[in-house]
Amino acid sequence: QVQLVESGGGLVQPAWSLRLSCAASGTFFKLNAMGWYRQAPGKQRELVATTTSGGSTNYADSVKGRFTISRDNAKNTVYLQMNSLKPEDTAVYYCNAEEGRPSGRRLAYWGQGTQVTVSS
């Protein structure tokens, strides 16, 4: 199985930046898409950004132009560079990864989450 460990969250002021990291470990055949989701108190978990092993990316409209997702396939690590942070970005950010098995089965994994707080 896959274990995902997130790091990089913290407390910052509006307009500052943070860089989140998520490293995958364990025994697996291949990781397909990896991405970031977030959940604010009382709200549903929402997609922030995803990337494939080939480098294709997609973003939520609310973060386009401010956040950048990237991936190091050799390290099985995905990053989220967050610039121009706003108070509404405050949430717990979760890493997600999809494992593709030779049989064709796909399995999803989640990290434990890392808190991002944007406040003056």
Side-chain angles (χ1 to χ4, degrees):
Q1 62 175 3
V2 178
Q3 292 83 45
L4 303 176
V5 179
E6 301 121 322
S7 62
L11 172 64
V12 297
Q13 298 180 21
W16 287 24
S17 298
L18 282 174
R19 184 173 185 250
L20 305 183
S21 299
C22 173
S25 63
T27 302
F28 52 87
F29 174 71
K30 179 181 69 175
L31 296 180
N32 299 320
M34 298 185 72
W36 293 92
Y37 293 70
R38 68 186 182 187
Q39 186 168 20
K43 304 296 182 181
Q44 293 182 315
R45 187 173 298 186
E46 64 176 357
L47 182 147
V48 177
T50 61
T51 183
T52 68
S53 60
S56 179
T57 61
N58 73 91
Y59 298 88
D61 289 340
S62 60
V63 306
K64 286 182 178 179
R66 299 188 298 120
F67 292 8
T68 302
I69 189 170
S70 60
R71 180 172 176 173
D72 186 333
N73 290 326
K75 297 180 179 179
N76 291 314
T77 300
V78 65
Y79 306 93
L80 185 67
Q81 179 66 46
M82 304 185 293
N83 298 327
S84 302
L85 283 163
K86 305 174 181 179
E88 50 264 44
D89 294 318
T90 296
V92 177
Y93 284 70
Y94 296 91
C95 180
N96 172 263
E98 179 187 274
E99 179 191 7
R101 299 283 182 87
S103 65
R105 172 180 285 270
R106 297 178 298 171
L107 300 174
Y109 300 91
W110 293 93
Q112 81 288 349
T114 184
Q115 177 71 47
V116 172
T117 302
V118 185
S119 176
S120 60

